[in-house]
Amino acid sequence: MSEKILIFAKDPIGEERAADISEKLHIDFVKDKPDEDALYLEVSQEGIALCSKGMRLMADLTESLPRLKAGRLNGEMLVHAARLKGKDQPTAIDATAGFGEDALLLAAAGFKVDLYEFDPVIFLLLQDAVRRALMDERLSSIVQRMSLHNNDSIEALNSINEDESPDVVLLDPMFPERNKTGSVKKKFQLLQRLESPCSTEEELLAAAIKANPHKIVIKRPAKGPFLAGRKPDYSVPGKAIRYDVIISRP
């Protein structure tokens, strides 16, 4: 992690969990609420939040519930881009999982999804969101199709055997300029204070191609450049973003 992070328990229920996280991630556990400028994890009965400068960020998959409603899910650009004909139980790897919103859409559309998140703090927030979603009857059956991995996705993609190739690989390198809403600004202001994995667009795309999926689906700004300069086979355009699709194998 590029910046020192603290952890504290907001209530007694969070104390044991905060202590466990402190030991596992080697983060200082403090008894009092940190100063305003500090970057810290707040553990409470509600869950785990990343906080600093009056901002509080908690991964919450329930925010995506409106997008999962019948009639709307199939209209989602990502679902349209990732859809495969003749596949009853397709598989996907989300190589840049973040807070899991995209993986949730794929899981709701019937995909079995492996989510890879390199950063241990982002992974912790994602893991906490999935834990809460498993207790929500509206999400539990969907989230059960999502498997979390706190690993380097490039290494994972490069190590896949030919008979284990996923149907789809999803890539979403961070590009905060795609959305200028206050909530997105807050999210990226906090997340950019964490250390990012040392990888390039070229390495990420090359690993996705090596995994030999049917499709590689890449989220990009609507008017942004192609990832690693690779022209896709086709794109699914939207107002703020687009999905570029590379057909890796028929």
Side-chain angles (χ1 to χ4, degrees):
M1 288 170 280
S2 59
E3 184 173 344
K4 183 179 177 64
I5 300 179
L6 305 174
I7 187 168
F8 96 108
K10 185 179 180 181
D11 52 42
I13 293 177
E15 286 186 4
E16 184 176 349
R17 195 171 182 206
D20 182 61
I21 294 169
S22 171
E23 182 177 355
K24 183 178 179 181
L25 297 187
H26 307 290
I27 298 173
D28 289 343
F29 183 14
V30 296
K31 297 295 184 181
D32 299 320
K33 185 175 181 178
D35 294 337
E36 176 86 359
D37 291 338
L39 184 65
Y40 62 92
L41 290 168
E42 176 188 276
V43 185
S44 67
Q45 182 178 6
E46 182 185 1
I48 304 173
L50 181 66
C51 307
S52 185
K53 299 182 184 297
M55 295 183 288
R56 186 173 183 273
L57 180 61
M58 176 181 284
D60 186 1
L61 294 176
T62 64
E63 294 178 353
S64 295
L65 279 170
R67 304 174 69 185
L68 307 183
K69 291 182 178 179
R72 179 168 175 182
L73 181 64
N74 287 333
E76 287 284 341
M77 292 167 56
L78 172 57
V79 174
H80 179 66
R83 186 180 292 121
L84 296 166
K85 293 182 179 179
K87 274 283 185 178
D88 293 331
Q89 294 181 313
T91 59
I93 289 178
D94 184 346
T96 47
F99 283 174
E101 300 98 334
D102 288 335
L104 183 69
L105 292 177
L106 292 179
F111 282 81
K112 182 180 180 297
V113 189
D114 283 290
L115 294 79
Y116 285 86
E117 176 50 53
F118 179 86
D119 186 276
V121 174
I122 297 175
F123 180 80
L124 179 68
L125 297 171
L126 170 62
Q127 191 177 47
D128 184 59
V130 170
R131 177 189 64 83
R132 286 180 274 113
L134 283 168
M135 296 186 290
D136 189 323
E137 63 180 10
R138 300 169 297 176
L139 291 170
S140 59
S141 62
I142 298 172
V143 174
Q144 287 175 27
R145 291 195 287 272
M146 297 165 57
S147 301
L148 309 185
H149 307 275
N150 185 198
N151 297 329
D152 185 335
S153 61
I154 291 178
E155 292 181 5
L157 289 167
N158 281 326
S159 65
I160 290 175
N161 296 323
E162 186 174 344
D163 58 351
E164 299 174 338
S165 295
D167 294 308
V168 172
V169 173
L170 173 63
L171 306 178
D172 178 17
M174 255 190 231
F175 49 96
E177 69 275 9
R178 74 173 179 248
N179 193 320
K180 299 186 183 300
T181 65
S183 61
V184 172
K185 283 184 178 180
K186 176 177 72 172
K187 176 178 178 178
F188 281 101
Q189 282 177 24
L190 289 176
L191 294 185
Q192 286 177 341
R193 293 172 67 179
L194 304 174
E195 184 176 19
S196 297
C198 297
S199 61
T200 66
E201 292 184 351
E202 289 79 9
E203 289 175 323
L204 185 61
L205 183 56
I209 292 171
K210 188 174 185 297
N212 196 33
H214 288 290
K215 288 182 177 181
I216 300 169
V217 178
I218 308 166
K219 184 186 287 188
R220 301 301 290 161
K223 297 182 180 179
F226 299 134
L227 186 70
R230 170 67 182 265
K231 185 177 180 179
D233 291 285
Y234 65 92
S235 296
V236 178
K239 291 182 179 180
I241 63 171
R242 71 172 193 272
Y243 286 95
D244 292 338
V245 181
I246 295 172
I247 305 298
S248 186
R249 60 184 166 96

